[in-house]
Amino acid sequence: GAVVSQHPSWVICKSGTSVKIECRSLDFQATTMFWYRQFPKQSLMLMATSNEGSKATYEQGVEKDKFLINHASLTLSTLTVTSAHPEDSSFYICSGLAEFWEQYFGPGTRLTVT
Amino acid sequence: AQSVTQPDIHITVSEGASLELRCNYSYGATPYLFWYVQSPGQGLQLLLKYFSGDTLVQGIKGFEAEFKRSQSSFNLRKPSVHWSDAAEYFCAVASYDKVIFGPGTSLSVIP
């Protein structure tokens, strides 16, 4: 199957700073990418849908000003957590959408805010 | 509203035993259904999918799933579990503009 990479795989940042997470589709073009958040022992919670060249669509309850998403090319989407706080600590996962709603997932990024 | 339920939060089976993980969905039209597996430290991997046609679908790693429209179910099965199958399993349904995931079933395998 297709490969999606995420960078970094884990990051620790101080409260109040911003951190950027990159999601790349390595061998396919992803017009649409999704960003998920996963809490321990829980399912994936969709945060936003990222479409190349247009604004992201955020799910209800997700602060668009805190979680900035940019999808500047068909192979790269970025999630920036601005003014991070300890409650933003989580596992963030991206995916690239292929045909028939099949997704290829990145390995995830563990964010810890101290 | 579309939803996915996985009644079993955690299942423990012995290695070599058969496995069935349950999934029920709520969706108005013919669904696109998926099973994904998440192993520690790894990304989600697609096991199998159903779009149309034969209601019994074969996947990777010896898994299969059966779509039953009358029961709104898409249960995952494997005849003989291996220790390496221990992981988190997610059922998912494609909605109009997104994919909705179930809460997941954690599988433990006893040697």
Side-chain angles (χ1 to χ4, degrees):
Chain A
V3 178
V4 173
S5 69
Q6 274 185 249
H7 178 80
S9 56
W10 60 271
V11 58
I12 301 173
C13 70
K14 292 186 177 182
S15 185
T17 63
S18 296
V19 61
K20 179 184 287 188
I21 302 170
E22 291 187 349
C23 176
R24 293 182 184 272
S25 57
L26 300 183
D27 52 3
F28 72 105
Q29 294 183 327
T31 304
T32 299
M33 288 184 170
F34 297 101
W35 285 95
Y36 296 88
R37 185 172 179 176
Q38 186 179 32
F39 292 101
K41 304 295 185 182
Q42 294 190 26
S43 187
L44 282 73
M45 181 189 78
L46 180 64
M47 299 175 64
T49 301
S50 169
N51 292 297
E52 187 266 338
S54 64
K55 291 184 178 180
T57 302
Y58 290 82
E59 294 300 300
Q60 190 173 7
V62 177
E63 300 177 59
K64 61 179 67 177
D65 294 330
K66 166 170 272 299
F67 299 101
L68 300 179
I69 291 173
N70 182 275
H71 194 158
S73 77
L74 289 173
T75 59
L76 174 64
S77 176
T78 60
L79 168 67
T80 301
V81 183
T82 63
S83 187
H85 290 282
E87 56 266 30
D88 299 324
S89 298
S90 191
F91 193 57
Y92 294 89
I93 303 171
C94 72
S95 72
L97 182 65
E99 61 178 7
F100 299 113
W101 282 104
E102 185 170 338
Q103 297 179 74
Y104 296 102
F105 287 86
T109 297
R110 173 76 58 194
L111 170 64
T112 301
V113 184
T114 62
Chain B
Q2 295 77 31
S3 65
V4 180
T5 57
Q6 293 179 247
D8 304 304
I9 297 174
H10 185 251
I11 285 182
T12 300
V13 299
S14 297
E15 191 169 18
S18 63
L19 171 70
E20 181 170 36
L21 302 182
R22 296 182 290 166
C23 172
N24 294 94
Y25 66 91
S26 173
Y27 188 66
T30 300
Y32 288 179
L33 295 161
F34 308 85
W35 273 100
Y36 288 91
V37 60
Q38 184 180 34
S39 299
Q42 298 185 26
L44 276 79
Q45 182 181 23
L46 178 68
L47 288 175
L48 45 78
K49 60 194 177 191
Y50 171 79
F51 296 147
S52 64
D54 193 348
T55 56
L56 183 63
V57 292
Q58 302 297 320
I60 62 172
K61 303 184 179 184
F63 286 93
E64 67 177 26
E66 185 172 13
F67 169 61
K68 292 186 178 181
R69 184 187 301 275
S70 62
Q71 299 178 18
S72 296
S73 68
F74 188 56
N75 295 347
L76 181 71
R77 300 193 295 250
K78 187 170 185 178
S80 179
V81 171
H82 189 263
W83 64 266
S84 60
D85 293 324
E88 191 79 21
Y89 291 80
F90 294 97
C91 181
V93 59
S95 179
Y96 302 109
D97 58 353
K98 68 189 75 170
V99 175
I100 299 171
F101 284 83
T105 296
S106 177
L107 174 66
S108 296
V109 180
I110 301 173

